[in-house]
Amino acid sequence: MLSRIVPPFAVTLCLVLAGCSPDPPTTASAPPPSSQSPSLQSPSSSPPSSPSPPPSTSPSASPPADCVTRTLGRLGPAELAGQVLMIGTSVNAPSGLGDTVRRYHLGGVFLHGRSTHTAGQLRSDIAELQKRAQLPLLVSLDQEGGNVQTLKGPDFPRIPTAEQLGAGPAAKLRSTTTDSARRLAAIGVTINLAPVADTVPASLGERNPPIGYWHRQYGSDPAKVAASIRTIVPASQDAGVLTVVKHFPGLGRVTANTDTSAKAVDNTATDKDPYLGPFVEGIKAGSGGVMISSARYPRLDPSAIAAFSAPIVTGLLRQRLGYQGLIMSDDLGAAVALGSVPAGQRAVRFVAAGGDLVLTIRPSDAAPMAAALIERAAGDPPFRARLTDAARHVLAAKDRAGLLSCAD
């Protein structure tokens, strides 16, 4: 996920925020994916084909609705709003979010911080949290590697930085990704907020605060970054963990961090930008999710940050690039770039722009965000339809991860 990486002078502040903070200097529910097939289901825009009806069946009879549609049809306004929210909780004490999960019908949780717990401890904690959910949760974290690795206990080896992996052979990148994803799937993590598809030009390097400073990029050439993304997405998803390519349409050229500044701007990006190439490859590879940044891109939309921009989220990502999967936000909770917007309106604006899953690290945001989504949907039929479509995308991601069950 998140661009929660800041220069050293801001590390102290950043460490109380979301899960992709840099490391300190010293330092009844469906079963977890490990009980499912090791390979995630392929996305589908239509229900599975049904067998040919017997001759006596009326030619006008409709096939049974698919599981996503059937589940969606059972959701009321509060449940629709809850499904499009992913709320943060400490990776070392996730049960603290249990009441919020139940009360607001949350669609997902984000495990933030750093943990050295064993796989057994983590598996038990995640399973207990799943028991509080009306529908199984998407469970996410940041397991990029390098300075952004949530789990580092005895069962989770250190992962090299993206820059190191991107410079090495594809076979090493593939095996590292597969091993990490299998370990995550085994404890009940269903979605990793990775890989970073941002390209940092060599001329900027560490002067790019969110990505380059921490060597989170797979290279300085978008073609080479694209090749890494082509390797990572199937390696992770075939091992049972959905990927989220981030931070669309790119944070590699900004000179400020959206977590600590409202001045993160990319004045270069256009709809023909070669730096979109890695995201395109992630889409082609079938990535379960794409994360939208909170920076500004004046040549794509002069009036709004990317997360609130219909031209970027719907026009560019959905329509021009043809992405049909889950669109999620970067952190809309603690980011300084959003400080002037009330919490509830952050969720409304993201969904209205075409987003599906609102990410915030602050549990206190669940109430105002859910309330604002419900209120807007009640008085605005087009928004209600958009909210329903967003919830459908969340449920489709859950179905792909093997979390939904519609057995009669």
Side-chain angles (χ1 to χ4, degrees):
M1 148 191 150
L2 315 168
S3 49
R4 186 129 337 268
I5 298 296
V6 297
F9 65 81
V11 167
T12 301
L13 170 65
C14 190
L15 288 177
V16 303
L17 300 181
C20 61
S21 304
D23 294 330
T26 58
T27 18
S29 103
S34 57
S35 66
Q36 307 290 340
S37 167
S39 178
L40 292 165
Q41 303 168 32
S42 297
S44 175
S45 58
S46 60
S49 58
S50 301
S52 300
S56 59
T57 302
S58 166
S60 61
S62 299
D66 64 277
C67 189
V68 169
T69 300
R70 292 163 65 185
T71 304
L72 187 67
R74 296 194 295 265
L75 304 184
E79 295 160 321
L80 288 172
Q83 284 303 294
V84 306
L85 297 179
M86 176 173 275
I87 306 297
T89 187
S90 169
V91 65
N92 289 314
S95 61
L97 196 68
D99 289 344
T100 300
V101 166
R102 172 67 68 179
R103 181 178 304 175
Y104 298 105
H105 315 283
L106 297 186
V109 296
F110 168 63
L111 306 177
H112 66 75
R114 293 293 180 267
S115 179
T116 57
H117 286 183
T118 66
Q121 289 174 296
L122 292 162
R123 185 186 306 112
S124 177
D125 288 344
I126 291 171
E128 284 301 311
L129 192 59
Q130 284 283 19
K131 291 178 181 178
R132 305 300 301 274
Q134 176 187 16
L135 291 172
L137 297 159
L138 288 172
V139 178
S140 71
L141 45 58
D142 284 319
Q143 196 78 345
E144 293 177 22
N147 292 286
V148 184
Q149 184 173 337
T150 300
L151 307 181
K152 290 185 175 179
D155 298 315
F156 302 94
R158 295 284 182 125
I159 303 170
T161 67
E163 189 173 55
Q164 290 171 324
L165 288 170
K172 174 65 174 177
L173 177 58
R174 184 179 299 107
S175 64
T176 300
T177 301
T178 297
D179 178 70
S180 177
R182 285 174 176 165
R183 293 170 186 271
L184 296 179
I187 64 171
V189 170
T190 56
I191 187 165
N192 186 15
L193 305 188
V196 168
D198 308 308
T199 302
V200 179
S203 59
L204 190 58
E206 291 188 352
R207 290 183 295 114
N208 169 249
I211 310 299
Y213 187 88
W214 302 100
H215 307 279
R216 299 170 69 195
Q217 74 277 23
Y218 287 93
S220 58
D221 177 353
K224 292 184 177 179
V225 176
S228 292
I229 302 302
R230 279 197 303 271
T231 297
I232 295 166
V233 170
S236 178
Q237 296 191 156
D238 288 350
V241 177
L242 292 171
T243 57
V244 177
V245 293
K246 61 186 185 183
H247 310 76
F248 188 86
L251 282 177
R253 289 182 295 227
V254 302
T255 55
N257 192 326
T258 57
D259 295 324
T260 58
S261 171
K263 298 180 180 180
V265 180
D266 182 335
N267 287 305
T268 302
T270 68
D271 61 0
K272 297 179 176 61
D273 187 357
Y275 280 34
L276 291 175
F279 295 97
V280 171
E281 290 305 315
I283 291 169
K284 289 180 179 178
S287 180
V290 171
M291 178 180 286
I292 307 296
S293 91
S294 294
R296 293 185 177 274
Y297 303 84
R299 298 180 69 182
L300 290 170
D301 185 347
S303 63
I305 64 170
F308 299 158
S309 170
I312 292 175
V313 179
T314 298
L316 180 56
L317 183 54
R318 277 276 189 244
Q319 297 174 351
R320 186 177 180 89
L321 299 184
Y323 182 62
Q324 298 302 311
L326 181 71
I327 298 178
M328 68 181 298
S329 71
D330 201 337
D331 174 40
L332 297 186
V336 170
L338 304 163
S340 63
V341 182
Q345 288 307 304
R346 299 177 193 187
V348 168
R349 292 187 190 183
F350 178 67
V351 172
D356 303 317
L357 186 60
V358 177
L359 175 64
T360 172
I361 66 164
R362 302 189 306 193
S364 61
D365 286 341
M369 285 183 169
L373 289 165
I374 293 167
E375 181 181 9
R376 175 68 179 270
D380 185 341
F383 183 82
R384 166 68 184 244
R386 171 78 274 278
L387 178 62
T388 302
D389 181 60
R392 178 185 290 276
H393 281 100
V394 174
L395 293 176
K398 292 183 178 186
D399 190 42
R400 189 176 176 189
L403 294 173
L404 291 190
S405 176
C406 289
D408 293 327

